[in-house]
Amino acid sequence: MAAVAMAAACGRLALRGAAARPSRCFSFSGCRSSRDGETAKFQPPPKPVIIDKQKQKEERRYLSPEFIPPRGRTDPLKFYMERKDMIQRRKVFNIPEFYVGSILAVTTADPHADGKTKRFVGICIQRGGKGLGATFVLRNVIEDQGVEICYELYSPRIQEIQVLKLEKRLDDNLLYLRDALPEYSTFDVNMKPESRLDHEEIPVNKLQVRMKPKPWSKRWERPKYNIKGIKFELPEKKMKAAQKWSQPWLEFDMLREYDTSKIEEKIWKEINEELK
Amino acid sequence: AAQSSSVTSGCKGRPNTTTDAGSWQTEHGLNSAFFLCWKGGFQALDGDAEACKQKIKVLVFLSQVQKSNSQPLLIITRACQAIQKLTRVRVVDNSALGNTPYHRPPKCIHVYNKTGVGKVGDTILLAIKGEKKKALIVGHKMPGPCMTPRFDSNNVVLIEDNGNPIGTRIKTPIPYTLRQKGEFSKVLAIARNFV
């Protein structure tokens, strides 16, 4: 570990040219020999590097979904430039990893608020947008009134994003919480952040939500929305009638395929280098 | 038999589409008749050619009737989701007028705005319990600009003509953006929660 640190330090100094050093000393031994020359001092053996095998195995890669460019014919240069700006912002401000279904507390700057900052706690129901315009919507029920606020991840007005509870849900977006019983959207404003270990897998909350009586804002029972997190208490006849709108050919449509695995690999390498 | 099969295959392959009644006779063949018939939904066809032909005859009659009216069957206009005339609102303060039950919900009858659409901070005229009262919009279901809250109901605070609120307490959360316009300081003074 010490050897790696020294080599890194040598490399950085060489690049910046801060002090008069022999150029291109990348290796530890190389630095030493150029300085000391004939009298070789006693070099203690390098300290053993402890490799935590468990940590190595479960090194989770998390790439925020707004980095993945949408499918289209735009010049990839545009996405590259946006990614550069996003990385710049992430260096200054920490945007934590979170998913739809995790509970966040966001502090933003507001000229009209008391103390110029306002804090909102809520469950993330939707993550939209790509690039710098990426947004997420937080929902909470305050005094029997459902409130949703859409925040832009890279907005300079956001001062802090704190993840109070990191978890996933069965669906990609939880817009059906608007038609669910309010108890599923109420979260304590003074909730304490939950601590979790780094290498643990993110828990998936398999909660099945109970809904208010129909009519709903959208017909969530239809297969188009493909929602697994609702406990439908509708009669069998209605559930069957909803299946009429299923489009089973969609999953085989080759023109809609968008394989992002290679793109993700490239972008992950790019980002990791910058943000280390 | 060949005709019927072509017709059935045409129907099963296409999802819901609507065609206007006027053009189908001249441009399209038999196939489009079925699209008209199944405007709202998508049903499997029975392979009976005779039944199909009878259905087409009915459709021809209907379309001719339609042509004479020159009006569409269904008029679906999507209203803008902020507050405008005849929207039912929810009175959020503890005034007697807003909280006593009545057989009709309070409705907006005028918006004091150049456009007829009221957003947060606009004054509107409400019809409550058979009387007219001015009110201030404190939240609506329509999503606004980023960082502003979106409420699950259209909230309104009853107000006098000079801007004084009638109630004495507002429990529901109020957006901070109301502080921008200085004329609502009295309403903000009685508000308890801010978002």
Side-chain angles (χ1 to χ4, degrees), chain B residues 1-193:
Chain B
Q3 205 186 44
S4 63
S5 63
S6 66
V7 156
T8 47
S9 60
C11 262
K12 277 179 189 168
R14 299 265 209 98
N16 320 328
T17 43
T18 53
T19 51
D20 41 57
S23 60
W24 78 273
Q25 274 170 321
T26 47
E27 289 167 27
H28 308 283
L30 255 171
N31 289 341
S32 54
F34 292 89
F35 299 143
L36 261 186
C37 183
W38 276 275
K39 247 188 199 175
F42 183 72
Q43 292 170 20
L45 251 194
D46 47 336
D48 190 8
E50 277 305 312
C52 298
K53 281 180 192 167
Q54 279 181 8
K55 280 172 189 168
I56 296 163
K57 283 183 195 164
V58 170
L59 281 168
V60 168
F61 172 74
L62 275 175
S63 63
Q64 279 166 351
V65 167
Q66 265 186 348
K67 261 184 168 175
S68 58
N69 285 346
S70 69
Q71 259 184 6
L73 262 176
L74 282 164
I75 305 168
I76 309 165
T77 44
R78 194 116 187 262
C80 45
Q81 289 154 328
I83 297 175
Q84 59 176 14
K85 288 194 187 181
L86 294 187
T87 41
R88 291 161 290 181
V89 282
R90 177 188 165 208
V91 175
V92 142
D93 55 12
N94 66 344
S95 55
L97 197 58
N99 291 29
T100 39
Y102 192 62
H103 59 264
R104 303 184 73 177
K107 277 192 190 163
C108 167
I109 46 179
H110 188 261
V111 182
Y112 293 102
N113 211 343
K114 289 284 183 180
T115 65
V117 177
K119 305 275 165 112
V120 173
D122 289 333
T123 1
I124 58 172
L125 230 206
L126 278 191
I128 304 184
K129 295 185 74 180
E131 31 183 283
K132 295 182 279 190
K133 209 75 191 179
K134 276 202 184 176
L136 170 73
I137 303 174
V138 288
H140 49 70
K141 272 175 118 175
M142 175 161 172
C146 233
M147 308 284 202
T148 51
R150 185 204 85 105
F151 297 87
D152 275 0
S153 60
N154 298 318
N155 298 338
V156 124
V157 169
L158 292 178
I159 242 178
E160 295 279 353
D161 282 334
N162 48 17
N164 295 345
I166 296 174
T168 51
R169 238 185 309 154
I170 303 174
K171 267 172 86 182
T172 46
I174 304 260
Y176 279 111
T177 40
L178 273 181
R179 286 209 181 151
Q180 222 167 10
K181 305 186 192 173
E183 52 213 51
F184 308 130
S185 45
K186 290 181 193 168
V187 175
L188 295 165
I190 60 172
R192 291 293 177 86
N193 302 320

Side-chain angles (χ1 to χ4, degrees), chain A residues 248-261:
Chain A
W249 57 85
L250 270 185
E251 59 172 316
F252 303 111
D253 195 344
M254 291 176 79
L255 284 180
R256 277 170 212 260
E257 276 171 11
Y258 185 39
D259 187 23
T260 51
S261 45

Side-chain angles (χ1 to χ4, degrees), chain A residues 108 110 112-114 118 120 135 139 142-152 155 157-158 178 244-245 247, chain B residues 15-16 40-43 90 92 146-153 155 171-173 176-177 179-180 193-195:
Chain A
T108 49
D110 197 338
H112 311 293
D114 308 314
K118 63 176 190 186
F120 186 73
T135 56
R139 179 183 166 85
I142 306 171
E143 296 277 350
D144 300 325
Q145 171 71 58
V147 185
E148 290 174 10
I149 308 188
C150 173
Y151 291 103
E152 279 174 339
S155 167
R157 271 175 68 182
I158 297 185
R178 291 175 189 164
K244 229 184 349 182
W245 278 269
Q247 295 174 313
Chain B
N16 320 328
F42 183 72
Q43 292 170 20
R90 177 188 165 208
V92 142
C146 233
M147 308 284 202
T148 51
R150 185 204 85 105
F151 297 87
D152 275 0
S153 60
N155 298 338
K171 267 172 86 182
T172 46
Y176 279 111
T177 40
R179 286 209 181 151
Q180 222 167 10
N193 302 320
F194 282 94
V195 172

